[in-house]
Amino acid sequence: ILNKLFHRAFSAAKQVRTQTRLGCAPLSLANVAVDMARERLGGLERISAMLIGAGDMARLTALQLRKKGCRQIIIANRSQENAARLAEEAGGEVVSLGGISKMLPQVELLFSAWGGNGYIVESRDMQGLDRTQPLCCFDLGLPRTLDPSLRSLPGLELYDLDDIQKRIDLNRNQRETEVESALRIVGEQVESYFAWQAALELEPTIVDLYRYTRRLAEAELDKTLRSLPHLNEAEIAALRRMLDALVKKFNHNPVRYLKNLQAHHGDASVPLSLVRNLFNLDEEN
């Protein structure tokens, strides 16, 4: 029972993933920010990213960067120990806070999950830097940790929590439109499972019915064979195949009747009892 139940659950989950877009619109801050970065940069496989901070939000972001295939992850944090621990988990490398300015020209993506006071990167930090590619920045801090005036710099895009929240709201709306389809899939699987479970009630009676009719048929065949000792093996085999076909045909309509009742009414207890009494199955057993 439980084995079948779990397989139905796994099947429903797979259908929801493949037939709806319910899982394609993340709602967590880190997931959405990394997805936005991937869209803006056309993928992360060739991207070097710097992450400022090593707390919970920084960890979630770093793991998402790794999951989405970011080529290089550089972690800067006040505590070198915490930064090293996160770098080991996310497959990144560590720089000191003082090395941020040195690394800025070498990265295309910057996330700030800084827990300190004030702006960790300001416009003046970008002045005079020899940048050859655009820089995409995400401020995940509250209050803000990246200077808003960075937006005015050429070749630099800055997104803050308000921007990310707008995407989260959009994703939530998209998910809500997919919920009905997902619930329909789950409902179909639930109905199928209960139909299978209900059919288990029929199985003992169906087995007994086949056993009973086969026993009668074989008894009659044995009598016939004793009266026809001249039959060869091929002829006897033909008679047995005929017996098998007759047993199946005889039981076809009663079994179909029970299964249809179970499928359409959900309760076949009365006809089950009738069939068992009609063929005297309990006494036969």
Side-chain angles (χ1 to χ4, degrees):
I1 297 294
L2 287 177
N3 180 61
K4 192 74 170 182
L5 176 63
F6 278 106
H7 278 288
R8 288 289 183 182
F10 298 147
S11 178
K14 182 178 180 179
Q15 278 187 270
V16 170
R17 287 196 303 271
T18 58
Q19 298 179 19
T20 75
R21 292 184 55 80
L22 194 61
C24 299
L27 299 181
S28 74
L29 189 66
N31 282 22
V32 171
V34 172
D35 274 359
M36 290 174 65
R38 185 172 57 173
E39 291 174 8
R40 297 301 301 165
L41 298 171
L44 300 176
E45 293 76 12
R46 297 185 177 88
I47 299 300
S48 293
M50 182 160 62
L51 177 61
I52 304 175
D56 292 338
M57 181 58 66
R59 177 179 177 274
L60 292 173
T61 304
L63 294 179
Q64 280 299 309
L65 286 169
R66 178 182 181 183
K67 180 180 178 180
K68 300 298 172 59
C70 187
R71 181 178 67 84
Q72 182 184 31
I73 304 173
I74 302 165
I75 300 170
N77 190 56
R78 180 188 293 113
S79 168
Q80 293 286 287
E81 181 181 353
N82 291 344
R85 186 160 47 245
L86 178 56
E88 181 178 0
E89 184 177 5
E93 54 192 89
V94 177
V95 298
S96 65
L97 290 181
I100 291 177
S101 296
K102 180 181 178 182
M103 297 302 301
L104 282 174
Q106 304 177 36
V107 299
E108 295 88 10
L109 182 57
L110 172 66
F111 287 92
S112 177
W114 174 249
N117 296 320
Y119 299 137
I120 189 66
V121 177
E122 301 181 75
S123 294
R124 62 188 179 188
D125 298 319
M126 305 295 294
Q127 302 297 329
L129 294 182
D130 183 18
R131 292 196 51 80
T132 58
Q133 65 272 337
L135 178 63
C136 189
C137 303
F138 287 83
D139 190 345
L140 307 180
L142 188 66
R144 294 177 178 178
T145 60
L146 298 179
D147 188 351
S149 64
L150 290 170
R151 281 195 173 96
S152 63
L153 299 179
L156 191 147
E157 295 181 0
L158 173 61
Y159 301 91
D160 58 23
L161 290 179
D162 291 337
D163 301 313
I164 300 171
Q165 186 60 49
K166 290 178 183 177
R167 173 61 68 87
I168 291 175
D169 292 340
L170 178 62
N171 287 354
R172 182 176 289 109
N173 291 336
Q174 291 178 350
R175 279 196 172 195
E176 289 174 357
T177 62
E178 296 293 319
V179 167
E180 185 175 347
S181 297
L183 288 177
R184 176 184 52 78
I185 290 171
V186 173
E188 289 172 353
Q189 288 285 3
V190 168
E191 183 178 345
S192 176
Y193 171 76
F194 280 123
W196 170 83
Q197 191 178 43
L200 293 181
E201 300 175 13
L202 306 179
E203 195 65 25
T205 296
I206 293 173
V207 170
D208 288 345
L209 184 60
Y210 269 91
R211 184 184 295 120
Y212 166 68
T213 52
R214 178 169 292 281
R215 187 160 57 240
L216 290 180
E218 288 180 347
E220 293 303 317
L221 179 61
D222 288 342
K223 291 179 185 179
T224 301
L225 292 178
R226 284 196 297 270
S227 65
L228 299 171
H230 61 278
L231 295 181
N232 59 40
E233 291 185 4
E235 292 169 330
I236 293 174
L239 287 174
R240 292 195 180 280
R241 287 195 296 272
M242 181 185 69
L243 180 146
D244 290 339
L246 284 174
V247 168
K248 291 178 181 177
K249 289 182 177 180
F250 178 86
N251 290 309
H252 175 74
N253 283 338
V255 169
R256 185 177 64 175
Y257 169 72
L258 291 174
K259 288 184 175 181
N260 285 340
L261 279 176
Q262 184 74 71
H264 293 96
H265 301 287
D267 183 9
S269 57
V270 172
L272 272 177
S273 178
L274 177 63
V275 168
R276 298 196 70 83
N277 290 330
L278 183 63
F279 293 99
N280 207 20
L281 295 180
D282 293 322
E283 290 190 18
E284 286 291 333
N285 286 335

